[in-house]
Amino acid sequence: MAKITLKNLSHSYVSKQNSNEDWALRDINIDWKDGGAYALLGPSGCGKTTLLNIISGLLRPTKGEVLFNDKDMTSLNPVERDIAQIFQFPVIYDTMTVYDNLAFPLKNRGLSEIEIDTKVKEIGEMLELTSTLHNKAAGLTADGKQKISLGRGLVRSDVNVIMFDEPLTVIDPHLKWVLRSKLKELHQKINRTMIYVTHDQIEALTFADQVVVMHEGQIVQTGTPVELFEKPKHTFVGHFIGSPGMNILPCDIKNGQITFEGKILPNKINTMKNNFKITQVGIRPEFINFSKDGIEVKIKRVSDTGRHKVVDVECRSGNIKILANSSTKIPSGSAHISFDQKYTYAYGDNWIIE
Ligand code: ADP
Ligand code: MG
């Protein structure tokens, strides 16, 4: 097991870099603590796989260092790093049985027959592969093959970290749920560092203690699911996490005051900077209430999901979504709304101003 540190890491797939777009990763600094359960969350193309491949040694970073327990590993190859990496699509030996596929990584390490047998059966049981252990892998469904791939990653107990790169993409939705809780359970049991890559916020938030959110090659925030929800450090985290996401609306910021729709909000912010290119106010739909006075809005649409109502309203600055209890009486026509001050944030060029 190891603590993994990425220091001033940047990566580009092109030889000459002219703009930010030429960098797949930009200035990544992070400590993955020993034994932690992490999710790496971000949309397709934001650099997740590139980051995993740099940790495992499949890729040499353009700049920066990879350290395991403070020891520089940047120039070591994947085998020397002792890492288990599970890819998006199954990597297995079709002509071998399920059992032999699972046993393979252990045979390579020179474990005894008995140790191998115990391990293989334990992992097979966990992944519900027991009844197919002696079948040829070739005959299995995509689901079944990916379960073997997972098993091959989980079977070794001497790895520094287990990394999963969107491993449930090919898995049927019902089984997805089962496997996800199994992985979580397994993490609690073996307490090994795990990094779980996904573009799905639900998967990330249910698996991890710490979620690392990536956007256009940068880490924009690392935090617990609650922290990401309650205080997004970047507008991207605000709208990517939550359903519906945070409302991000244009506002004026001057001399420590936020002016929105001609009204000064009670929040005080601490910035001397008055030359942001974009200034915005962020408020989650959960933290907006209908009120006697406040910001004037027009009600556009109400969708009742049973558990709550999503209300779309419009003001001069744009459209706003409000999440109300099912029992809330929604005014029709025009109304006034107010923002819960505690969860209202100002953003300058997309980063939070505190
Ligand atoms: P993710 O896993 O989050 O979808 P990737 O790490 O695969 O993102 O890709 C990040 C960026 O790097 C994307 O713009 C992608 O097009 C580019 N990229 C990924 N792999 C390569 C490659 N082998 N050669 C050139 N560009 C690549
Ligand atoms: Mg990827």
Side-chain angles (χ1 to χ4, degrees), residues 48-49 88 165-166:
K48 304 181 297 295
T49 298
Q88 195 163 7
D165 194 352
E166 314 215 29

Side-chain angles (χ1 to χ4, degrees), residues 74-87:
T74 321
S75 57
L76 297 194
N77 67 36
V79 178
E80 295 169 298
R81 296 191 190 195
D82 266 337
I83 273 181
Q85 186 170 8
I86 294 136
F87 300 91

Side-chain angles (χ1 to χ4, degrees), residues 254-321:
K254 221 175 236 150
N255 306 327
Q257 280 181 334
I258 314 171
T259 309
F260 176 67
E261 291 276 297
K263 286 187 165 50
I264 295 173
L265 301 185
N267 301 60
K268 281 275 174 269
I269 46 176
N270 207 352
T271 179
M272 290 298 130
K273 201 173 156 189
N274 278 329
N275 60 340
F276 294 105
K277 283 198 206 84
I278 322 166
T279 48
Q280 290 165 310
V281 62
I283 176 79
R284 289 207 179 270
E286 288 81 352
F287 304 126
I288 305 178
N289 295 302
F290 290 100
S291 54
K292 275 221 185 65
D293 40 22
I295 300 148
E296 234 181 272
V297 296
K298 257 199 263 165
I299 309 281
K300 301 302 275 185
R301 192 162 51 134
V302 181
S303 332
D304 198 336
T305 68
R307 281 179 60 203
H308 45 238
K309 290 172 180 163
V310 180
V311 188
D312 287 280
V313 305
E314 191 181 40
C315 64
R316 275 174 294 135
S317 307
N319 297 321
I320 303 179
K321 285 192 189 294

Side-chain angles (χ1 to χ4, degrees), residues 13 24 42-51 165-166 197:
Y13 288 101
S44 172
C46 73
K48 304 181 297 295
T49 298
T50 304
L51 192 62
D165 194 352
E166 314 215 29
V197 165

Side-chain angles (χ1 to χ4, degrees), residues 111-318:
L111 266 69
S112 74
E113 293 275 324
I114 295 174
E115 286 172 302
I116 293 176
D117 193 60
T118 312
K119 265 293 189 194
V120 167
K121 284 184 175 149
E122 184 190 323
I123 290 293
E125 183 79 21
M126 186 198 115
L127 294 169
E128 296 173 13
L129 286 168
T130 305
S131 63
T132 58
L133 278 180
H134 297 289
N135 298 357
K136 281 265 190 316
L140 297 183
T141 57
D143 268 19
K145 288 185 182 176
Q146 186 63 342
K147 285 204 281 180
I148 301 176
S149 236
L150 278 167
R152 286 163 48 87
L154 297 171
V155 77
R156 280 177 57 194
S157 50
D158 58 344
V159 292
N160 285 312
V161 53
I162 308 175
M163 306 195 295
F164 307 90
D165 194 352
E166 314 215 29
L168 305 184
T169 311
V170 292
I171 305 268
D172 162 272
H174 155 73
L175 196 61
K176 247 185 198 170
W177 185 260
V178 177
L179 284 181
R180 209 191 307 143
S181 5
K182 287 230 158 122
L183 289 178
K184 174 110 199 158
E185 209 180 289
L186 188 84
H187 177 262
Q188 279 154 357
K189 206 162 105 193
I190 64 177
N191 220 11
R192 205 147 359 129
T193 315
M194 291 189 181
I195 303 176
Y196 188 100
V197 165
T198 177
H199 61 269
D200 179 335
Q201 56 164 311
I202 306 289
E203 262 183 31
L205 301 177
T206 49
F207 173 77
D209 312 322
Q210 288 280 317
V211 179
V212 179
V213 186
M214 285 187 68
H215 173 58
E216 296 178 349
Q218 284 182 298
I219 292 177
V220 284
Q221 187 169 0
T222 300
T224 63
V226 172
E227 285 163 351
L228 298 176
F229 181 77
E230 291 190 346
K231 192 173 181 181
K233 295 273 166 86
H234 190 279
T235 53
F236 178 77
V237 178
H239 61 74
F240 196 65
I241 289 177
S243 178
M246 187 180 229
N247 296 289
I248 314 254
L249 301 149
C251 69
D252 281 324
I253 292 176
K254 221 175 236 150
N255 306 327
Q257 280 181 334
I258 314 171
T259 309
F260 176 67
E261 291 276 297
K263 286 187 165 50
I264 295 173
L265 301 185
N267 301 60
K268 281 275 174 269
I269 46 176
N270 207 352
T271 179
M272 290 298 130
K273 201 173 156 189
N274 278 329
N275 60 340
F276 294 105
K277 283 198 206 84
I278 322 166
T279 48
Q280 290 165 310
V281 62
I283 176 79
R284 289 207 179 270
E286 288 81 352
F287 304 126
I288 305 178
N289 295 302
F290 290 100
S291 54
K292 275 221 185 65
D293 40 22
I295 300 148
E296 234 181 272
V297 296
K298 257 199 263 165
I299 309 281
K300 301 302 275 185
R301 192 162 51 134
V302 181
S303 332
D304 198 336
T305 68
R307 281 179 60 203
H308 45 238
K309 290 172 180 163
V310 180
V311 188
D312 287 280
V313 305
E314 191 181 40
C315 64
R316 275 174 294 135
S317 307

